[in-house]
Amino acid sequence: MRPLRRFAKTTAVVFGFLVGSATAGLDVWLNDSRRNTSTAVIGVGQGQTRRRITLLQARRIALEAMEWAERERLRFAEQEASSGPEWKDYP
Amino acid sequence: MIYEVPDGAAPLRQGDIFIGLPRIDLSLARVPVVRENGEHEEVKWEDIAKAHEPVSAVVAIRPVAAIVATQDCDTLRSPDITLCEIREFRDVERKCKETKTPSSWKSIITQQARVNLKWFYLPPDEKVGFSGKMAVDFMGTLRVARTDLEELRTLRSARLNPLADEHFRERIAEFFRRYPYDEWYALNPEELEAYRKEYPDVQPFPWQVLRKAPAPETA
């Protein structure tokens, strides 16, 4: 069977179709009455920010998000280890 | 070890272990959106949400090992299956990053059920795909469509044996049943003082503050 490390080092970037989920409440994607065409176009002089980027930049942003998430998980684990119970205290 | 290999056609069950399921990480501060004309834009998720329209985006996907967390009855018909990521034990429990001796490992593995509720230990097994000690990280969940996961049963390398499965079922329930509370609330002032040496930011509750005895009245 393939060792896990092999998978952990493999990274793929794909186009994901992001659809907001609101299973517990109102689904804003499906409720036409709540759709507002005036806000359907993003960032037209309304204080919203957007920046045109290349596909390479998009890929880099995606990878940076993944790397940041991984670092945060490790940082959290370190933090937990520094404040959690000491094994030697639980014989 | 504590694993068994299910028949390839066996239905999904809690405790099924998959190697290579997609974990998606996305920064809501910087979403690389793909527009209909093929152009790319970096947009804040807040702005996408305001528009109430789905978008296409570039996201990073990493194959990870994971274990089914969804209960057995729901794995048969729920549209989505929830899984917990399986990571290297040393990365989940950083206290043992330097652990080497069997005696120390013994203490960590047997005591974890009593003390640390955030992970579940999985021993190494080359047949499963675990070359080292692993842990289910209850803090890290992912979601896969049930029908997709059923199609991907070739990636199911094992499932927990009955003893481990029972333990896992209780542990995951225990983890999600936890509730946050200020653990120092019942300490007396002296105990609280000792506690605050380790956690100096902790504030005492009103009943933990020593009240000074009123000064004797003088005639």
Side-chain angles (χ1 to χ4, degrees):
Chain A
M1 194 54 74
R2 296 157 293 192
L4 180 64
R5 279 189 180 280
R6 183 175 153 198
F7 289 103
K9 288 179 179 171
T10 308
T11 302
V13 177
V14 301
F15 292 105
F17 189 64
L18 302 179
V19 179
S21 66
T23 52
L26 189 64
D27 191 331
V28 295
W29 307 124
L30 300 177
N31 189 340
D32 286 336
S33 66
R34 286 196 56 181
R35 289 191 177 186
N36 182 342
T37 52
S38 68
T39 58
V41 180
I42 296 172
V44 187
Q46 298 172 1
Q48 295 158 322
T49 54
R50 67 178 188 179
R51 182 172 71 97
R52 187 164 294 177
I53 54 176
T54 65
L55 177 58
L56 279 179
Q57 287 171 318
R59 182 179 180 277
R60 192 167 64 239
I61 290 170
L63 289 173
E64 284 172 0
M66 185 184 69
E67 288 161 6
W68 180 85
E70 281 302 297
R71 280 198 306 273
E72 280 301 294
R73 288 183 192 111
L74 208 55
R75 188 191 60 78
F76 176 76
E78 291 280 5
Q79 191 179 334
E80 286 284 291
S82 66
S83 63
E86 291 296 331
W87 299 112
K88 60 182 172 53
D89 296 337
Y90 297 85
Chain B
M1 289 299 289
I2 65 169
Y3 313 101
E4 55 187 38
V5 181
D7 182 82
L12 298 174
R13 273 183 45 187
Q14 188 181 55
D16 281 1
I17 294 169
F18 287 78
I19 306 285
L21 291 183
R23 163 148 219 139
I24 299 171
D25 285 308
L26 175 71
S27 167
L28 299 187
R30 305 171 69 199
V31 183
V33 168
V34 183
R35 295 291 176 209
E36 283 181 10
N37 61 7
E39 291 181 346
H40 299 78
E41 286 175 340
E42 179 187 326
V43 186
K44 289 182 178 175
W45 175 257
E46 188 183 2
D47 294 338
I48 297 171
K50 283 176 187 167
H52 297 308
E53 292 289 345
V55 295
S56 298
V58 178
V59 295
I61 302 181
R62 185 170 57 92
V64 298
I67 188 167
V68 173
T70 299
Q71 295 181 46
D72 287 355
C73 52
D74 293 332
T75 56
L76 296 176
R77 46 184 185 271
S78 171
D80 295 305
I81 302 294
T82 301
L83 302 102
C84 290
E85 186 174 345
I86 296 171
R87 297 163 57 204
E88 290 193 35
F89 190 70
R90 290 178 194 276
D91 286 345
V92 178
E93 180 48 271
R94 300 295 286 171
K95 275 188 193 302
C96 69
K97 58 187 173 186
E98 307 295 337
T99 302
K100 289 187 176 71
T101 65
S103 171
S104 300
W105 279 118
K106 175 266 298 174
S107 298
I108 290 173
I109 292 165
T110 56
Q111 292 167 10
Q112 51 101 5
R114 295 175 234 160
V115 180
N116 196 318
L117 302 174
K118 295 177 181 173
W119 44 261
F120 183 86
Y121 174 66
L122 296 173
D125 191 325
E126 292 286 349
K127 290 180 203 154
V128 176
F130 300 155
S131 55
K133 295 179 187 300
M134 308 297 286
V136 177
D137 183 357
F138 291 135
M139 306 284 279
T141 57
L142 43 137
R143 175 175 60 92
V144 178
R146 176 179 51 80
T147 48
D148 282 348
L149 200 57
E150 286 170 345
E151 288 297 314
L152 276 175
R153 276 178 284 193
T154 49
L155 297 181
R156 180 171 60 183
S157 61
R159 72 170 35 148
L160 297 175
N161 71 18
L163 181 63
D165 186 49
E166 188 177 355
H167 187 201
F168 176 70
R169 194 170 61 230
E170 287 300 318
R171 289 290 309 282
I172 194 170
E174 201 172 3
F175 174 77
F176 285 106
R177 203 165 47 220
R178 296 178 313 151
Y179 78 102
Y181 72 103
D182 296 328
E183 62 184 3
W184 64 90
Y185 80 92
L187 301 180
N188 68 29
E190 292 76 25
E191 292 163 344
L192 180 65
E193 193 179 327
Y195 186 84
R196 292 179 76 180
K197 284 178 183 164
E198 196 173 345
Y199 304 101
D201 296 336
V202 160
Q203 294 301 314
F205 286 92
W207 56 85
Q208 292 176 306
V209 179
L210 277 175
R211 292 192 180 85
K212 288 180 182 173
E217 289 184 14
T218 52

